[in-house]
Amino acid sequence: MVDQRKHWNKVFASKSDPELGWYESDVSQTLKFLDLIPKHEEAVVFLPGAGTSILVDELLARGFRIILNDISDEALSKLAARTGRNEESLIWLCHDISRPLPDGIPGADVWIDRAVLHFLTEESKIQGYFANLNSALRTGGYVLLAEFSTAGPRKCAGLEVYRYSVQEMTRRLGKTFTLLAHEDYTYITPAGEERPYIYALFKKNSGQ
Ligand SMILES: C[S@@+](CC[C@H](N)C(=O)[O-])C[C@H]1O[C@@H](n2cnc3c(N)ncnc32)[C@H](O)[C@@H]1O
């Protein structure tokens, strides 16, 4: 079985950002969905599998506090070299997002996952991920999932992936979440290859 931490550390240690098959110099597809969410001051965004995404710089510029999660300490070190540790706005969390979150993590108002959930292929890990999402996100919060769609490739970064439809996302989130918007989106890799994604934005309701 692949050691996920070693695998991702090797990827981030051996490639520059623009060489990564998911690199974006422009994160407007994600920001478009973020702009559908009513703004409120000092909102906390949870970024599972943040990698080295420039979404972090964009969120900082918009005044969010961010919980930066990744399984790869190499990715988080590269990100910290760019952003600074920025203790006021950034909370660093090197952790496998399929495993229970440590105590003391602040509740999140927004959860944004681009290209992370689809790397969890075992049912127990997928369920662990959704349990974390549910416990970390406050009532009234929002979740954006951007994953390979059912038309997407079966592998990425040398790993098998689990592909999603909006129906499966909706089913896995359960009745406390309402689907607000969704869109099929074809991301073009730096090598010019097409990667079909599904983007879906949900709101967490009070439960009853
Ligand atoms: C394809 S990259 C996407 C990175 C970033 N979200 C972006 O859009 O640029 C997948 C990221 O998820 C991280 N990752 C993979 N499995 C993970 C896990 N189980 N827990 C936390 N992070 C994970 C990887 O280290 C990597 O940074």
Side-chain angles (χ1 to χ4, degrees), residues 20 127-129 139 145 176 186 197 205:
L20 299 169
Q127 288 187 14
Y129 173 99
T139 297
L145 299 177
T176 48
T186 302
Y197 277 74
N205 309 309

Side-chain angles (χ1 to χ4, degrees), residues 175-196:
K175 288 196 169 68
T176 48
F177 286 81
T178 302
L179 177 64
L180 300 180
H182 64 100
E183 184 183 13
D184 288 306
Y185 173 75
T186 302
Y187 163 70
I188 308 293
T189 71
E193 291 166 0
E194 293 190 354
R195 295 283 183 270

Side-chain angles (χ1 to χ4, degrees), residues 33-82:
F33 280 87
L34 189 67
D35 287 340
L36 297 176
I37 299 175
K39 296 186 181 32
H40 73 90
E41 294 197 357
E42 296 180 6
V44 175
V45 179
F46 195 117
L47 286 186
T52 52
S53 172
I54 68 148
L55 178 62
V56 176
D57 310 57
E58 295 282 350
L59 295 176
L60 276 175
R62 289 174 178 224
F64 290 106
R65 289 182 70 209
I66 315 170
I67 303 165
L68 289 169
N69 159 254
D70 209 283
I71 199 168
S72 163
D73 46 290
E74 183 69 33
L76 294 180
S77 297
K78 278 187 154 182
L79 189 56
R82 197 175 79 222

Side-chain angles (χ1 to χ4, degrees), residues 4-176:
Q4 297 287 325
R5 177 157 290 149
K6 275 193 189 155
H7 176 85
W8 286 103
N9 274 343
K10 203 168 150 194
V11 169
F12 283 104
S14 60
K15 292 188 174 178
S16 67
D17 283 1
E19 292 174 314
L20 299 169
W22 53 90
Y23 173 72
E24 288 181 305
S25 59
D26 170 359
V27 292
S28 52
Q29 173 65 14
T30 294
L31 295 177
K32 184 173 86 179
F33 280 87
L34 189 67
D35 287 340
L36 297 176
I37 299 175
K39 296 186 181 32
H40 73 90
E41 294 197 357
E42 296 180 6
V44 175
V45 179
F46 195 117
L47 286 186
T52 52
S53 172
I54 68 148
L55 178 62
V56 176
D57 310 57
E58 295 282 350
L59 295 176
L60 276 175
R62 289 174 178 224
F64 290 106
R65 289 182 70 209
I66 315 170
I67 303 165
L68 289 169
N69 159 254
D70 209 283
I71 199 168
S72 163
D73 46 290
E74 183 69 33
L76 294 180
S77 297
K78 278 187 154 182
L79 189 56
R82 197 175 79 222
T83 61
R85 285 273 156 195
N86 203 334
E87 303 299 346
E88 296 227 321
S89 304
L90 300 177
I91 297 162
W92 300 85
L93 178 62
C94 190
H95 184 81
D96 179 343
I97 197 60
S98 69
R99 299 182 61 83
L101 290 171
D103 292 336
I105 304 293
D109 304 289
V110 186
W111 176 284
I112 302 176
D113 175 330
R114 173 175 176 268
V116 185
L117 168 62
H118 65 214
F119 286 106
L120 303 177
T121 54
E122 288 169 40
E123 185 58 29
S124 60
K125 293 190 174 184
I126 297 172
Q127 288 187 14
Y129 173 99
F130 280 99
N132 281 338
L133 188 166
N134 251 308
S135 67
L137 194 66
R138 293 186 178 126
T139 297
Y142 295 82
V143 52
L144 175 63
L145 299 177
E147 315 300 334
F148 278 178
S149 75
T150 50
R154 291 174 191 277
K155 285 186 99 170
C156 180
L159 299 171
E160 303 280 336
V161 300
Y162 186 104
R163 300 172 302 166
Y164 281 84
S165 62
V166 70
Q167 290 80 7
E168 175 152 10
M169 290 173 172
T170 305
R171 179 179 68 73
R172 287 193 177 271
L173 283 167
K175 288 196 169 68
T176 48

